[in-house]
Amino acid sequence: MTKKKETIINAALIVALLGVLFIMEHVLPSTAMIFTVLKKGAIYALVAVSMNLLNGFTGLFSLGQAGFMLLGAYTYGILTIPVDQRVNVYQYFDGGIVQFAVPVVVGLIAAGLVAAVFAFFIGLPVLRLKSDYLAIATLGFAEIIRAVFQWDKLGPLTNGSNLLRSYPTFKSVIYPFVVSGICIAIIVMLINSTYGRAFKAIRDDEIAAEAMGINLAHHKRIAFIISSFFAGISGALLAMYQTTIQASMFKSAMTYEILLIVVIGGIGSVTGSCISSFLFIICSEWLLRFLDNDTYIGDFHVPLLRAGFRKVVFSIIIMIIVLFFRKGIMGEREFSVRGIYNFFTGKSRKKKAAKGGNSNE
């Protein structure tokens, strides 16, 4: 398959997907659970890919994703609340100190930029750390940010511990798909660039990468900033999905969920992160919901089915996946049109056979 043909097929598949989503919105009721899964899945796919860029492709174990999402969400909310609504939103802080509103697109970009700026300054000291120490430092940053944003002294800006609301949201499921798709495409182009190859070299062997002339501190900082930028945008999208913002939403458990999605999909696989995001949301938000409901068959009460049992079953499913798929669903492979074409035409098997023949010689 030629590269031009593959590009045409990919474009056709994207158009077909958007067409299906458009039809679904006009056929199914707006309250259908499938739309919740699709919207949240698209948002989590972006933040999972941004985390995979750092953890999977650069080898930096960071747990600060929830903090950068918080920064993005608050930046978007603060900048896009209509001026005439600010008195109602900031009712305890005299309407707040920001008395203007920016368009949605500008708010999304600003959300990413604010997260990136924080990442730059935080990265100066913490990126000197490695492995678990880096994870603890970034996790601590996320917790500090969450506490600071609820501080009443910052109330005129963040509304303290009160909700931010009345900012523009999205109703169409197509919107988060388009925004997340564009962002993920940019990340993929970065991974396939010279910077991406440098990131992978750092992940594989820092000493060898430095010997090849790669500036470790510079490239780690770049990866950290870019990952945080897209985490900020995903935070803004999550704020649009939730329709309200409160710092207590962005707990460390959110980061663990994102990390879990990355591990299940495959550390070092973009498509793996996307697939596992939707699988995670489908199971946690939809398919296993019935396990939290008390169920009776006549007078017989079905044991175990009660609030919280869903998480127990979900944890068991995750353990099974981790046991049987040590490198995740996709490992370091990518799901692509070319891969499907090679599989059905037998080219992949021929390549393996050729390699086997060469090794025997």
Side-chain angles (χ1 to χ4, degrees):
M1 179 184 289
T2 63
K3 199 166 186 178
K4 184 178 179 181
K5 189 175 181 180
E6 185 181 6
T7 304
I8 294 172
I9 294 174
N10 285 331
L13 289 174
I14 292 171
V15 172
L17 173 62
L18 295 177
V20 170
L21 293 176
F22 180 79
I23 293 170
M24 286 174 62
E25 283 190 327
H26 288 77
V27 173
L28 299 176
S30 59
T31 55
M33 194 63 189
I34 185 67
F35 293 128
T36 299
V37 170
L38 291 173
K39 290 175 185 176
K40 200 169 182 180
I43 296 167
Y44 268 64
L46 173 57
V47 68
V49 171
S50 73
M51 190 178 202
N52 210 346
L53 172 66
L54 199 61
N55 292 22
F57 290 94
T58 315
L60 298 176
F61 188 28
S62 171
L63 292 177
Q65 225 67 3
F68 295 116
M69 291 179 72
L70 181 150
L71 288 168
Y74 267 88
T75 300
Y76 174 80
I78 290 167
L79 293 179
T80 58
I81 295 173
V83 176
D84 60 340
Q85 294 292 327
R86 290 184 180 272
V87 175
N88 298 324
V89 176
Y90 291 89
Q91 56 183 325
Y92 301 109
F93 301 100
D94 299 324
I97 59 175
V98 178
Q99 292 299 321
F100 62 87
V102 301
V104 171
V105 175
V106 176
L108 284 172
I109 296 172
L113 290 175
V114 169
V117 170
F118 270 80
F120 172 78
F121 288 108
I122 292 163
L124 292 176
V126 303
L127 290 179
R128 299 175 184 271
L129 304 172
K130 293 182 180 180
S131 188
D132 299 342
Y133 300 102
L134 175 61
I136 293 168
T138 50
L139 181 62
F141 149 75
E143 291 298 302
I144 291 169
I145 285 290
R146 183 166 62 87
V148 168
F149 269 62
Q150 296 179 88
W151 187 28
D152 283 343
K153 296 291 184 182
L154 287 179
L157 181 65
T158 66
N159 209 21
S161 58
N162 304 302
L163 292 172
L164 282 181
R165 61 184 190 279
S166 301
Y167 50 80
T169 60
F170 58 77
K171 294 182 179 179
S172 173
V173 70
I174 296 175
Y175 189 88
F177 265 84
V178 170
V179 176
S180 295
I182 292 171
C183 293
I184 291 172
I186 294 171
I187 294 173
V188 170
M189 288 190 288
L190 174 68
I191 291 170
N192 293 329
S193 69
T194 53
Y195 271 98
R197 289 191 285 273
F199 294 158
K200 293 175 186 176
I202 293 171
R203 175 196 64 188
D204 295 336
D205 193 325
E206 287 192 9
I207 297 174
E210 192 171 25
M212 292 169 60
I214 296 173
N215 187 327
L216 298 183
H218 173 71
H219 283 82
K220 285 181 180 181
R221 195 177 303 119
I222 290 293
F224 192 59
I225 290 171
I226 292 173
S227 174
S228 303
F229 174 83
F230 289 110
I233 292 179
S234 66
L237 289 174
L238 185 62
M240 297 173 77
Y241 165 77
Q242 300 279 18
T243 70
T244 58
I245 304 169
Q246 194 169 30
S248 58
M249 294 164 45
F250 300 90
K251 296 180 179 178
S252 56
M254 180 178 286
T255 297
Y256 300 146
E257 286 181 354
I258 299 164
L259 179 62
L260 184 63
I261 289 170
V262 172
V263 172
I264 291 174
I267 297 178
S269 174
V270 173
T271 50
S273 294
C274 295
I275 293 168
S276 62
S277 297
F278 286 98
L279 289 176
F280 178 86
I281 299 300
I282 287 170
C283 291
S284 62
E285 299 286 339
W286 191 5
L287 296 183
L288 302 180
R289 279 286 179 184
F290 72 95
L291 296 174
D292 282 347
N293 301 324
D294 286 333
T295 304
Y296 288 86
I297 301 176
D299 294 330
F300 175 73
H301 178 254
V302 179
L304 299 178
L305 294 185
R306 63 191 67 185
F309 188 61
R310 170 173 56 96
K311 292 184 178 181
V312 175
V313 175
F314 190 60
S315 299
I316 294 171
I317 293 171
I318 291 168
M319 289 172 62
I320 293 171
I321 292 173
V322 171
L323 285 173
F324 289 95
F325 297 91
R326 295 292 178 90
K327 293 185 178 181
I329 296 171
M330 296 296 292
E332 293 185 359
R333 303 184 303 275
E334 297 292 354
F335 185 83
S336 64
V337 173
R338 184 183 293 273
I340 295 171
Y341 175 80
N342 290 340
F343 177 80
F344 282 105
T345 56
K347 288 189 176 182
S348 58
R349 292 188 291 272
K350 289 176 182 176
K351 285 182 181 179
K352 286 182 181 179
K355 286 181 181 179
N358 292 335
S359 61
N360 292 332
E361 291 174 4

